[in-house]
Structure formats: C-alpha cells, structure tokens
Amino acid sequence: MSKDAHSARAAAADLVAAVTGEGQLLSDALGQGALTALAPADRARAQRLATETLRQMPRADAVLKPFLRRSPPAPVLAVLRIATVEMLALGAAPHGVVGAAVDTLRAGGMRTDSFASLGNAVLRKVAATDPSVWETLPVPELPGWLRGRLMSAWGKPATRAMEAAHLAGAPLDLTPKDGDAEALAARLGGEALPGGSVRLTAPGQVSELGGYASGDWWVQDAAAAMPARLLAAQAGERVADLCAAPGGKTLQLAAAGAEVTALDISQGRMDRVAENLGRCGLAANLVVADALDWQPEALLDAVLLDAPCSATGTIRRHPDLPHAKGGYGLRELFALQAQMLDHALTLLRPGGRLVFCTCSLLPEEGEQQIAHLRDRHPDLVADVAATDLPWIAPEWRAGDGMLRLRPDFWADRGGIDGFFIACLRLPG
C-alpha cells in the first residue's frame, strides 16, 4: 500500500470520527486534521471513502457487532467501519484492507495504537464473512427524530422508499450554461433530464470533465436547478437570490440575462459564488449581509429565496446529516423561514414574483410554511402558470404553484434530492 493510500484512509477515519464522535458535519470537518495535508486526488479519495462509510454505517455495525464485546472509542470504531465497508461493500482485497487498518490504528498515537491487536483480530473475522451477506442486511433506517416525522408526513412505504434512495446515493447532475442539455449530454456521455439538467452516472474527477475549465456548466442537483427555472427570469429583470451560496441558482439567473444581486451572510460562502461566476464568465452583484436586513435600491421584479433549512432532502448526497444533526433547533428554523418570507415580499414591486424553496422533506418547511404565509398575506397569488410545464410530473404537484420532490422520485433515473418549491406573485 502506498503512503498516499494510507494517508487517505487515515484522513477518512478522521472524518468519520468527527461526524460520529463529535457531531460535526462532514463539510465542516473537511478543513481539519490530516485531510488538509493531502494532495487533491487523495483528499477526494478520503472524502469518498468517508461518505460511503457513513452511508453504509448501520450495515457495517451489524457485521462488526458479533466481534466486539463493547464499542471502542469513536476514532477506533471509524477505522473498523471503513475497513468493513471497503471489504464487503466496495470489494477491496481483504489482506490489504486489514493491514492498512492496523497500520492506521498504530499510527494514531494514544487514541488508537493500543487497539491495533483488537482491530487486527476483528477485521480478520470480518474478512472471513461471506460478501453476499452484505446485500441481505436491512436498508439503514433514518434516526428516530427524522423517521417519525417522515412517517407522519408521507407514510411508511414512502419513508422506506426514501431510505432506499439514501442508501443508493446520488449521480452527478450538471446545469448547462447555454441551456442545451441535449448537446452537453451527448458531449459528456450523460442523460438529458426533463427540465434541462444533465446526469452523469460515472463522472470521475469533476474538474477533468470537458467544459469545466471553460465554464460551460456547473454541478447542481436537478431538483436544486428547478426553482430558478420556475422563476423564469427574463433579460434585464432585477432579481435577488437570497442565501445564494454556493451559487448555482445565481449562475442560472445570470445566464438568463437578469440583473442579479446575490446575497449571503457568509463571506467565505460568497467567495465560492464569486469563483463560480468567474469560471463561468457570468456577472452578478455580490452582497455579504443578513437577508433580513438587506434592502435593494429599487423594488425588484423577482426574488428567489432558498431559505436555511434542515437539509433533510439532501441525505443521499450528504449521509453525514442524520448522524451529525438531531431534531434540535427546528422550531427556530421554521420561525426564521417565516421571517425571511415576510421580508422577501417587501422587496418586490407590485406584480413581482417570489419563488421560495427548501431542500427539506418536512412539511413545516414547505406546505405548512406557505399556508401560514398566505394566512398572513391573503392578497398573495399562487403563480400557477410557473409550474404549468410539460416536464413536471403529476406526483410532484403539492397544490397551486407548489412542487414537492422526494428522493424516491425518478427511481429509474437514480433519484432526485428532496425539495419543496412554491411560486407566488404579488397582486399587480
């Protein structure tokens, strides 16, 4: 095993331990520990390995349980889980995986080196396990705080279907700058999806794909691309993208020719928006501010509000979320979304359009939020025409001008992120 391969495995173990032992999000843990010293390719390998381990973790734990009298510390358990997933889910050669795991434990200092013998003994037993057993293990269930809410909202069959979609993971979706999905799909060997995204099932390194450096497209889940498409910004319209980072929707609005103001409270996240705009040769006015305080110089034609939310619709891409998050703080999130919606309406001219969206599976962050908004603002009009499009599937519709997307939809195509989208209009 190469030194770089060992370093990538050690970094992956650090990531898994940060999520499971410290409750960190994977995105936050990526800038810490051994990962920061790795070359880009090894960083990507470590992240992929950690992500797959978190996705498959309940299965790995079921295999490990008979061989452990008690659960070891999080850093040790992370190494065992990763090795189990490598051998049984990813088909890696057991001899190399066991040796690498033991080396990782020995190199981990006081946290892990005393567990090297235990790790060797346990993983040799895992290596002797029939790989076919893996596929007979149950689909991992979501934690109780989320599973209960989804069962209440959508029922048991739908919840189980969503859990299966989470286990399957997600392909890579791209948004073409020129809007020609068919041409980009043919160029990259992907599938042009209804609505205008392009899906790749085995993309490899994203930055090496044709058209990346020239900014011909950007990475964006097909569901995340729909709000801006439904807003249908026109050339010259004054549009604000609130909570804009990482910038996919800003890029869509700018590519349509709108005069876009992209706003986010984080300078670091706004830097990412600037980088993406620069790569794609697009322009927008970037503002670092709290969306609740910001006021435009003149009233706007349209506002896109992708509000802070539980992100429960993105678990198939971010399997760390169920492990790092609990049900804490949801009421505060719901209240913040309501405040942001009320404020967004004050930014619009008469007849102006508002598209509200969250990457959430919870009705409190979607259907219920809009019902309460319309109670507070009875003059609001559902923009039915915005969602009257031939590529929108009937099962997505959640009422006038509203869509509800779930991870188990488009199962034959590889799924889609969970999203809620509402299209509204002020009276003219």
Side-chain angles (χ1 to χ4, degrees):
M1 181 186 65
S2 71
K3 180 180 179 181
D4 289 341
H6 168 71
S7 298
R9 282 188 169 106
D14 285 349
L15 291 174
V16 172
V19 172
T20 59
E22 302 171 25
Q24 290 193 53
L25 289 172
L26 194 58
S27 57
D28 295 332
L30 287 172
Q32 305 169 13
L35 199 73
T36 58
L38 296 183
D42 294 311
R43 284 173 58 90
R45 184 172 186 269
Q47 185 174 351
R48 286 195 300 271
L49 189 52
T51 298
E52 191 61 27
T53 299
L54 291 166
R55 179 174 288 120
Q56 303 272 5
M57 200 164 69
R59 285 181 161 183
D61 288 349
V63 171
L64 287 166
K65 185 177 180 180
F67 309 134
L68 292 168
R69 289 187 177 182
R70 63 181 63 88
S71 183
V76 177
L77 188 55
V79 174
L80 301 182
R81 285 165 162 166
I82 287 171
T84 300
V85 168
E86 281 196 276
M87 288 188 283
L88 298 184
L90 303 180
H95 177 75
V97 171
V98 173
V102 173
D103 288 345
T104 299
L105 291 171
R106 286 176 177 157
M110 294 178 62
R111 297 188 309 162
T112 63
D113 61 352
S114 63
F115 290 88
S117 295
L118 171 70
N120 183 58
V122 168
L123 292 178
R124 285 184 180 278
K125 293 175 182 177
V126 173
T129 301
D130 184 346
S132 65
V133 170
W134 188 261
E135 293 304 322
T136 68
L137 295 171
V139 171
E141 293 184 356
L142 291 164
W145 72 267
L146 178 55
R147 195 169 206 260
R149 287 176 177 271
L150 297 187
M151 296 270 275
S152 296
W154 314 117
K156 185 174 183 178
T159 301
R160 295 182 68 174
M162 285 187 268
E163 289 170 335
H166 295 159
L167 179 62
L172 182 75
D173 292 347
L174 310 177
T175 298
K177 183 169 79 170
D178 63 4
D180 193 340
E182 295 286 349
L184 183 61
R187 177 181 177 184
L188 298 180
E191 176 191 4
L193 298 173
S197 296
V198 172
R199 175 157 291 179
L200 306 180
T201 54
Q205 186 70 26
V206 171
S207 59
E208 299 299 319
L209 293 174
Y212 174 83
S214 53
D216 297 343
W217 49 264
W218 50 89
V219 175
Q220 187 179 28
D221 185 81
M226 290 183 190
R229 292 197 177 112
L230 298 183
L231 187 70
Q234 303 299 305
E237 281 193 316
R238 301 184 310 281
V239 181
D241 181 10
L242 305 183
C243 310
K249 298 175 183 66
T250 296
L251 295 172
Q252 289 177 278
L253 299 171
E259 296 178 9
V260 185
T261 296
L263 185 140
D264 200 276
I265 199 169
S266 164
Q267 181 64 62
R269 292 199 297 266
M270 191 55 80
D271 289 343
R272 287 188 61 192
V273 178
E275 291 172 9
N276 288 326
L277 284 166
R279 179 176 64 84
C280 295
L282 296 169
N285 177 36
L286 305 185
V287 178
V288 177
D290 187 328
L292 291 175
D293 298 330
W294 179 72
Q295 292 285 344
E297 294 181 359
L299 293 177
L300 303 169
D301 297 298
V303 169
L304 198 163
L305 172 57
D306 186 353
C309 71
S310 64
T312 46
T314 67
I315 291 172
R316 67 192 195 118
R317 295 187 185 278
H318 303 289
D320 55 308
L321 288 173
H323 305 292
K325 283 191 173 185
Y328 310 109
L330 287 177
R331 289 183 182 276
E332 291 79 4
L333 266 180
F334 303 159
L336 175 61
Q337 292 159 9
Q339 287 180 283
M340 296 184 80
L341 276 164
D342 288 338
H343 182 65
L345 293 177
T346 70
L347 310 180
L348 290 169
R349 64 166 175 79
R353 310 187 305 285
L354 170 66
V355 169
F356 168 77
C357 61
T358 57
C359 53
S360 170
L361 298 173
L362 305 180
E364 296 94 330
E365 299 183 282
E367 295 87 344
Q368 293 179 22
Q369 192 68 258
I370 294 303
H372 297 323
L373 177 72
R374 297 193 70 178
D375 285 342
R376 298 192 303 272
H377 303 275
D379 57 337
L380 269 179
V381 179
D383 195 349
V384 178
T387 57
D388 187 19
L389 301 170
W391 52 267
I392 291 178
E395 62 268 26
W396 298 357
R397 299 187 182 278
D400 289 348
M402 298 189 295
L403 302 183
R404 162 59 66 187
L405 304 173
R406 297 199 323 240
D408 55 313
F409 292 169
W410 268 359
D412 57 333
R413 288 188 161 101
I416 191 168
D417 279 359
F419 247 83
F420 172 82
I421 308 168
C423 303
L424 302 161
R425 186 185 291 271
L426 287 179

